[in-house]
Amino acid sequence: MANLRFLVLGSAAGGGLPQWNCNCSNCAAARDPASPLSAQTQSSLGVSVGGSDWAIFNASPDIRQQILQTPALHPHALRHSPIKSIVITNADVDHIGGLLTVREKQPFDLFATSAIEKVLDANPVFGVLDPAHVRRRTIRLEEAFSPLAGLEARMFAVPGKVALYLEDGEPELGIEGEQTIGIEFLSGGFRAYYIPGCATLTDALAERIRGADLVFFDGTVFTDDEMITVGTGVKTGQRMGHMAISGKDGSLEPLSKLGIGRVVYVHINNTNPIWRSGPERAAVEAAGMAVAFDGMEIDLERRSE
Ligand code: MLT
Ligand code: MN
Ligand code: ZN
């Protein structure tokens, strides 16, 4: 049977690396051809069973560039796309902005929770996704659905908050509902997870992902006050709905104890020191975890059935 293939289309958080208006040391390095750090696009993951049809998890504003730089996603005929479905994990701009790019009367299924559907419906610009071609599929939490033949998935609540542009005063942090979800993949005897935004690794979440073959996890910031320290912003990771990698409430230590085959940090903010070699990246690698990059491919070879 065909392999289960994961392809990181965009490893960076909202804004990308470099961010258009940022000249922090990472962003400057990503613009410098002499630096080993290269530009990285915004948060998205491709998944395929066998490599011909693809489901895209989060439609990043960079989706046009991501498709262009990924031959597996190019059309095979005059009008065609290997992208059969798009699944949204929250309504932040970095995860829905690309829906405006894939508007060219191409059939695909768009999977989201009803809360995320409501956000799309409240913004008339998303009406460019012609319902005659784009099939809206509203998925309940914990309900099995199939974004591709041979791939079973589930959406589950993870602690988060409403999208940035929906904040009205101080948002409630760490809410668990349909606004921020993780994805569970079950295919060919494998269990894998995609969790690009997560405010807290609750006991229930830890138990869920324990022993998984592969987990892509929120790597937005290394330290909670990183944006403040670097001088790019006033918000903590927690205030943005993202738990830090390091520290007593960080993800690194608990994730390293869950017997997970492979942990890959994704949705990495441009301020995060793990982009470059140094003690922070070394700490991640010493724990056996990986830092995503655009084009990173992970194949899980089917176990014999
Ligand atoms: C986030 O992940 O915190 C958001 O993408 C922020 C944003 O929309 O810029
Ligand atoms: Mn984001
Ligand atoms: Zn920057």
Side-chain angles (χ1 to χ4, degrees), residues 31-298:
R31 287 187 191 95
D32 177 2
S35 149
L37 187 56
S38 54
Q40 304 290 312
T41 64
Q42 296 168 78
S43 183
S44 181
L45 180 73
V47 181
S48 180
V49 179
S52 63
D53 288 351
W54 290 80
I56 304 296
F57 292 79
N58 290 320
S60 131
D62 298 322
I63 194 168
R64 181 179 173 281
Q65 179 187 342
Q66 292 164 343
I67 293 170
L68 185 61
Q69 64 199 24
T70 309
L73 300 181
H74 294 176
H76 300 164
L78 182 59
R79 282 294 166 94
H80 166 266
S81 174
I83 298 171
K84 301 304 171 199
S85 60
I86 296 181
V87 185
I88 305 294
T89 69
N90 70 20
D92 274 323
V93 173
D94 56 345
H95 288 164
I96 63 169
L99 291 175
L100 302 179
T101 298
V102 290
R103 68 188 178 281
E104 314 287 3
K105 304 218 180 294
Q106 179 64 38
F108 64 88
D109 286 349
L110 177 59
F111 293 93
T113 62
S114 73
I116 294 174
E117 293 273 3
K118 281 198 186 98
V119 176
L120 299 178
D121 290 342
N123 288 275
V125 68
F126 290 105
V128 296
L129 294 175
D130 185 344
H133 301 276
V134 177
R135 198 152 57 121
R136 297 283 197 97
R137 308 282 302 272
T138 309
I139 304 299
R140 282 191 297 272
L141 298 177
E142 305 296 344
E143 172 189 11
F145 70 103
S146 181
L148 276 182
L151 179 63
E152 182 181 321
R154 276 190 179 73
M155 298 180 174
F156 56 94
V158 294
K161 66 167 184 63
V162 295
L164 180 59
Y165 54 88
L166 295 175
E167 288 183 11
D168 183 14
E170 278 305 304
E172 196 184 335
L173 301 175
I175 49 173
E176 290 187 60
E178 289 194 345
Q179 295 284 350
T180 309
I181 57 154
I183 307 282
E184 179 171 77
F185 302 98
L186 298 169
S187 178
F190 290 105
R191 188 162 55 90
Y193 295 88
Y194 175 52
I195 308 170
C198 182
T200 327
L201 185 50
T202 59
D203 290 347
L205 179 56
E207 284 320 305
R208 178 165 206 141
I209 64 179
R210 182 185 292 279
D213 298 288
L214 173 64
V215 175
F216 292 94
F217 199 81
D218 183 345
T220 308
V221 290
F222 190 77
T223 45
D224 189 47
D225 62 355
E226 180 178 298
M227 300 214 342
I228 300 164
T229 310
V230 173
T232 59
V234 295
K235 285 185 190 167
T236 60
Q238 272 302 311
R239 175 60 185 76
M240 295 190 298
H242 298 289
M243 67 189 296
I245 294 173
S246 68
K248 82 171 172 30
D249 298 322
S251 60
L252 188 66
E253 210 208 313
L255 283 177
S256 69
K257 294 181 178 154
L258 293 175
I260 297 164
R262 194 153 182 204
V263 175
V264 180
Y265 280 115
V266 292
H267 190 280
I268 305 163
N269 196 51
N270 56 73
T271 50
N272 194 323
I274 66 171
W275 283 122
R276 298 201 265 182
S277 51
E280 297 87 359
R281 189 177 177 111
V284 168
E285 289 171 350
M289 301 180 187
V291 177
F293 54 90
D294 289 14
M296 179 189 216
E297 197 174 306
I298 297 180

Side-chain angles (χ1 to χ4, degrees), residues 22 24 27 270:
C22 189
C24 73
C27 288
N270 56 73

